[in-house]
């Protein structure tokens, strides 16, 4: 018989304490989701998931031991505590103090809307078919729609520690996405659009289908352009993907372990004047929004880069203790893993942003990148960038679709070389509030 | 799970109109330990448990899973799925029931489970690797070493009366090294693994792996930016096979064919590659990272020749893919865990050994790039477009190996590159990896001998 979430949390902490842990914290997570996908007018797959898990960290004389279980019987929960206790004998001390109970803000972050739970299979199928029908009729060059699906998911997590802290977070979302293949005599091109929202009313299947088709069609006829340096605008569609590769450099853990090039650079210029980068945990509806972090520390909006100057890093209790600073509330954790840190929504200030049209007009010859092809040529430690891209060359008033080219440079040089940014961000609740980025010069190879 | 209870659930599913139903009951024990910054940073153990229920109606797949074991939760899942099904699907005959014995000796996969990291030798391995990596150069500034063990016990029941028990074990060692010089930081890593218990570590050359990772990080500090443009590239053995895996392997899964999202559709029997190229996906290699006795539908795994002397022979199939696409079953249905419905996936995929020596390959390429070690990459299976990073590369001038270069990527389209593989070496090697797709992350091997591709687009900075 499964224990209730509250019982499981209490039992695992109590067993850990009785077994010799001075401190422990535990995270219970449950999630439910329903998704379906459609191919050529019929539903192909329908999936329903129902998951639970309990993760534990014990501290025995400061030494951590980790364990988790997806069986929530009393016997499995006790075994989970015993696993963590046994392993704590072999690790080195973290020297941390767990969070004491405090008043958590009651701010409504808007990450849970009951309406999401009403998004059912009949409505999903209807919207997918509507998107598919439109995509097929919009342009005769659309030859296949291999990816088309809708889903809803909801989750709940409970965090507790032996000091008496208890916190809960619930969220729910819906999504719809479509990938369209267009073909002409030269090649196949894929266009994709989709987004995740809190409320099913926000989904516009026809608009999504139209955008995907336009994106596929616009890249037909793409060809390489000659190698050489040129200015580049990373569209807001890809700026999050691009920055995301290197945001690990802002983790205090990476900095302290020599895995970030930002080590020792607090107070120095790493980006242009006017450029502000935040972790922004209280943005309504965004996926990264939270009132407390994965160690129970209250969250606040914080600038990591202010007016181009590096101001700080992302910490959990382990890294802030090592650095001798107050907790910052950036801890992340899933029930299966150890405590790490991360952005709770990453945001670039857009008050000085311009439209992409305006940014593109700043240079007589400029590449507008709308697609990145994998990140494996990018090394988050060294900052080396080598990445295949697709997009459009704007030159003398003309626009040429471009593919089979790659861009290279070093991320930390590129960041300093940013000369403008956009005023728009990708729609949805994905937690990346990142505009397009204009870079003065990158090396293009073809 | 009690077989009588399982039968009741499957009967209920069929009574609700499913043509086929299946239960996948899994319990997995994970154990991991990691050392970084000379400290044992974390040690973790965990239990994954869940039951996956699949109901197939014609060509429609309904899948649900739960971590609750009681009959009531599973009965509710059957009802939830049956009620959610939109009735607009096509008919499909799934063919004969699954039968047959495995070609793999299941007992070979058992082995030593982790106990106490001191007694079972894991701590000693971590420390030895750390010391060996740091001893390579004073420029080595950080080493991260980990050992991961996973043992999965599963039972599979289907509505045709099949019942299979599985016991699968994997162990992997990884070492990542960072070297630094005058503000430049470079990385190197090695991550060998096998389908067996901790005895895998007994046969592992820990020192050699740690040194190889550290050597690469240090060597790349002095590398200059890679050249750009189309040129001949000699792609090194082992992990170099990741290109074939991504650019040809995925498009040769029936999951891509079912969605017409592959350039190889309708091309069985045609020349799709240079005649020197033969490619195989083999699920039966003893202890290999991607081997299985039977796949996640219960079909015994096979050795499948995908391309023979340049000619396309078949696709990798799961049961529904085989029925829908009219290709033989290859025992390739795989899933990460009970959370995923199985689909056709690769196992150990490699380009077969040829006859050329490394000297011959270098001599015949003239000027170009030797990509000794590939990093990861990605591909869009619907269009074939791929992009791969070169982790360790050297310039080649007149067949002679020159300076180290970094920051190179290889770009192209899979089906266009295959005819340009014009020489194949004899130094076949396999390398373990983790492959992500519709049914989650599964352990696979990639592999190849050194191959000469002429030409391929290199993206670099100089």
């Amino acid at each position: 018989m499964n224990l209730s979430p509250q019982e499981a949390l209490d039992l695992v902490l109590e067993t850990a304490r009785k077994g010799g842990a001075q401190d422990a914290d535990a995270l219970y997570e449950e999630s439910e989701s329903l998704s379906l996908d459609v191919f050529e007018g019929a539903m192909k797959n329908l999936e329903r998931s129902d998951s639970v898990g309990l993760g534990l960290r014990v501290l025995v004389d400061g030494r951590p031991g980790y364990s988790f279980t997806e069986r929530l019987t009393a016997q499995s929960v006790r075994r989970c505590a015993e696993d963590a206790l046994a392993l704590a004998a072999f690790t080195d001390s973290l020297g941390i103090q767990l969070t004491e109970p405090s008043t958590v803000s009651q701010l409504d972050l808007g990450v849970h809307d009951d309406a999401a739970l009403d998004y059912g299979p009949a409505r999903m199928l209807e919207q997918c078919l509507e998107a598919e029908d439109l995509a097929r009729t919009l342009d005769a060059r659309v030859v296949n729609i291999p990816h088309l699906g809708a889903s809803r998911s909801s989750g709940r997590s409970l965090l507790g520690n032996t000091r008496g802290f208890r916190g809960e977070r619930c969220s729910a979302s819906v999504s719809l996405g479509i990938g369209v293949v267009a073909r002409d005599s030269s090649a196949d091109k894929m266009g994709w659009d989709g987004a995740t929202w809190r409320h099913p009313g926000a989904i516009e299947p026809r608009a999504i289908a139209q955008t995907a088709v336009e994106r596929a069609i616009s890249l037909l006829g793409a060809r390489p352009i000659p190698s050489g340096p040129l200015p580049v605008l990373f569209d807001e569609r890809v700026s999050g993907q691009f920055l995301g590769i290197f945001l690990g450099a802002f983790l205090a853990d990476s900095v302290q372990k020599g895995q970030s090039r930002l080590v020792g650079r607090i107070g120095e210029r790493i980006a242009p004047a006017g450029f502000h980068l935040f972790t922004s945990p209280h943005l309504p509806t965004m996926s990264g929004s939270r009132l407390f972090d994965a160690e129970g520390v209250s969250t606040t909006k914080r600038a990591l880069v202010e007016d181009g100057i590096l101001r700080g890093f992302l910490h959990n209790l382990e890294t802030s203790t090592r650095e001798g600073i107050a907790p910052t509330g950036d801890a992340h954790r899933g029930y299966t893993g150890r405590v790490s840190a991360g952005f709770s929504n990453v945001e670039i200030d857009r008050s000085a942003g311009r439209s992409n049209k305006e940014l593109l007009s700043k240079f007589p010859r400029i590449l507008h990148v709308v697609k990145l092809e994998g990140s494996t040529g990018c090394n988050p430690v060294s900052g080396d960038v080598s990445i295949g891209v697709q997009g459009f060359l704007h030159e003398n008033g003309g626009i040429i679709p471009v593919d089979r080219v790659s861009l290279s440079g070093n991320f930390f040089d590129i960041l300093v070389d940013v000369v403008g940014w956009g005023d728009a961000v990708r729609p949805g609740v994905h937690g990346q509030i990142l505009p397009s980025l204009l870079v003065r010069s990158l090396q293009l190879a073809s | 799970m009690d077989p009588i209870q399982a039968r009741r659930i499957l009967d209920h599913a069929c009574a609700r109109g499913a043509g086929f139903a299946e239960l996948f009951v899994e319990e997995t024990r994970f154990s991991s330990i990691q050392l970084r910054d000379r400290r044992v940073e974390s040690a973790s153990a965990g239990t994954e448990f869940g039951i996956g229920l699949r109901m197939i109606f014609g060509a429609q797949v309904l899948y649900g899973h739960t971590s609750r074991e009681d009959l009531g939760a599973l009965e509710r899942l059957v009802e939830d799925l049956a009620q959610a099904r939109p009735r607009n699907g096509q008919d499909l005959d799934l063919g004969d029931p699954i039968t047959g014995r495995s070609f793999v000796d299941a007992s070979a996969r058992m082995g030593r489970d982790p106990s106490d990291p001191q007694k079972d030798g894991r701590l000693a391995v971590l420390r030895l690797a750390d010391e060996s990596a740091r001893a390579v150069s004073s420029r080595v500034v950080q080493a991260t070493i980990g050992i991961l063990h996973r043992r999965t016990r599963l039972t599979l029941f289907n509505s045709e009366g099949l019942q299979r028990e599985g016991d699968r074990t994997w162990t992997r060692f990884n070492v990542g090294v960072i070297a630094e010089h005058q503000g430049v930081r470079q990385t190197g890593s090695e991550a060998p693994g096998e389908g067996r218990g901790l005895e895998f570590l007994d046969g592992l050359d820990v020192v050699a792996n740690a040194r190889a990772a550290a050597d690469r990080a240090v060597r790349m500090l002095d590398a200059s930016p890679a050249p750009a443009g189309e040129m001949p590239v000699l792609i090194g053995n082992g992990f170099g096979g990741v290109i074939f895996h991504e650019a040809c392997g995925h498009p040769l899964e029936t999951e891509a064919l079912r969605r017409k999202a592959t350039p190889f559709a309708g091309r069985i029997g045609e020349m799709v590659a240079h005649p020197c190229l033969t490619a195989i996906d083999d699920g039966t290699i003893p202890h290999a990272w991607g081997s299985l006795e039977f796949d996640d539908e219960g079909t015994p795994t096979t050795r499948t020749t995908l391309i023979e002397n340049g000619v396309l022979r078949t696709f990798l199939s799961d049961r529904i893919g085989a029925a829908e696409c009219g290709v033989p079953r290859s025992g390739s249905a795989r899933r990460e865990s009970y959370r995923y419905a199985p689909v056709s996936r690769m196992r150990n995929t490699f380009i077969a050994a040829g006859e050329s020596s490394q000297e011959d390959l270098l001599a015949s390429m003239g000027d170009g790039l030797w990509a000794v070690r590939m990093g990861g990459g990605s591909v869009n299976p619907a269009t074939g477009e791929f992009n791969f990073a070169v982790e360790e590369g050297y310039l080649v001038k007149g067949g002679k190996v020159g300076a180290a270069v970094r920051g190179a990527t290889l770009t192209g389209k899979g089906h266009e590159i295959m005819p340009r593989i014009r020489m194949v070496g004899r130094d076949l090697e396999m390398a373990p990896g983790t492959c992500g797709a519709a049914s989650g992350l599964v352990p696979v091997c990639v592999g190849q001998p050194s191959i000469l591709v002429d030409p391929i687009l290199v993206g670099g900075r100089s």
Side-chain angles (χ1 to χ4, degrees), chain B residues 165-333:
Chain B
E165 309 283 334
D167 188 340
R168 303 169 177 175
T169 307
W170 293 272
T171 303
R172 195 167 192 190
F173 164 84
N174 62 74
V175 49
V177 177
I178 297 179
E180 192 268 346
H181 183 59
Q182 294 179 342
V184 176
R185 273 160 207 271
Q186 289 293 327
T187 57
S189 63
E190 292 291 335
E194 284 190 0
R196 64 211 291 181
L198 288 187
E199 70 277 12
F200 159 68
L201 297 173
D202 304 341
L204 179 72
D205 192 338
V206 174
V207 175
N209 274 284
R211 278 190 189 149
D215 273 334
R216 187 168 317 111
V218 171
R219 274 201 302 273
M220 287 300 106
L221 285 173
D222 298 321
S224 27
E230 285 214 317
M231 64 187 79
V233 175
L234 176 59
I235 302 175
N237 64 355
F239 200 67
V242 69
I243 299 188
F244 184 85
H245 168 101
E246 295 286 356
C248 288
H250 282 296
L252 289 175
E253 293 164 346
T254 50
E255 201 52 22
L257 189 57
R258 287 180 74 202
R259 290 162 197 278
K260 302 178 182 166
T262 167
F264 297 110
R267 300 198 61 193
I268 287 181
E270 288 181 27
M271 204 76 178
V272 297
H274 193 282
C276 69
L277 189 114
T278 292
I280 293 162
D281 183 278
D282 189 347
T284 68
I285 303 169
H287 299 309
W289 186 242
S291 291
L292 300 168
E293 293 92 61
F294 51 84
D295 75 0
D296 292 336
E297 294 180 310
T299 306
T301 57
T302 58
R303 177 181 166 97
T304 311
T305 301
L306 296 169
I307 297 173
E308 189 174 14
N309 301 324
V311 178
L312 180 62
R313 289 296 177 211
T314 192
F315 285 75
L316 293 172
S317 63
D318 54 359
R319 191 166 177 189
I320 200 165
E324 204 170 318
C325 304
V327 299
R329 288 181 199 163
S330 63
S332 302

Side-chain angles (χ1 to χ4, degrees), chain B residues 252-421:
Chain B
L252 289 175
E253 293 164 346
T254 50
E255 201 52 22
L257 189 57
R258 287 180 74 202
R259 290 162 197 278
K260 302 178 182 166
T262 167
F264 297 110
R267 300 198 61 193
I268 287 181
E270 288 181 27
M271 204 76 178
V272 297
H274 193 282
C276 69
L277 189 114
T278 292
I280 293 162
D281 183 278
D282 189 347
T284 68
I285 303 169
H287 299 309
W289 186 242
S291 291
L292 300 168
E293 293 92 61
F294 51 84
D295 75 0
D296 292 336
E297 294 180 310
T299 306
T301 57
T302 58
R303 177 181 166 97
T304 311
T305 301
L306 296 169
I307 297 173
E308 189 174 14
N309 301 324
V311 178
L312 180 62
R313 289 296 177 211
T314 192
F315 285 75
L316 293 172
S317 63
D318 54 359
R319 191 166 177 189
I320 200 165
E324 204 170 318
C325 304
V327 299
R329 288 181 199 163
S330 63
S332 302
R334 301 189 66 187
R335 52 178 130 197
E336 177 181 328
S337 70
Y338 68 88
R339 286 195 180 80
Y340 297 86
V343 299
S344 56
R345 302 287 295 268
M346 284 172 270
R347 298 158 305 199
N348 305 296
T349 315
F350 58 96
I351 294 175
E355 284 164 4
S356 306
S357 68
Q358 200 148 80
E359 294 72 40
D360 295 344
L361 291 162
L362 281 166
S364 81
M365 75 185 285
D367 295 355
L369 176 73
W370 184 17
V372 172
R373 169 90 172 194
M374 294 304 298
S378 70
V379 68
N380 181 338
T383 60
E385 294 161 329
F386 70 73
N387 186 282
F388 290 90
V390 179
E391 201 174 288
E392 179 179 4
Y394 297 89
L395 291 177
V396 177
K397 282 241 155 53
K400 296 271 178 292
V401 180
V405 290
R406 66 176 183 235
T409 52
L410 306 183
T411 306
K413 293 184 184 171
H415 54 292
E416 290 177 6
I417 288 303
M418 286 304 113
R420 301 193 208 157
I421 298 175

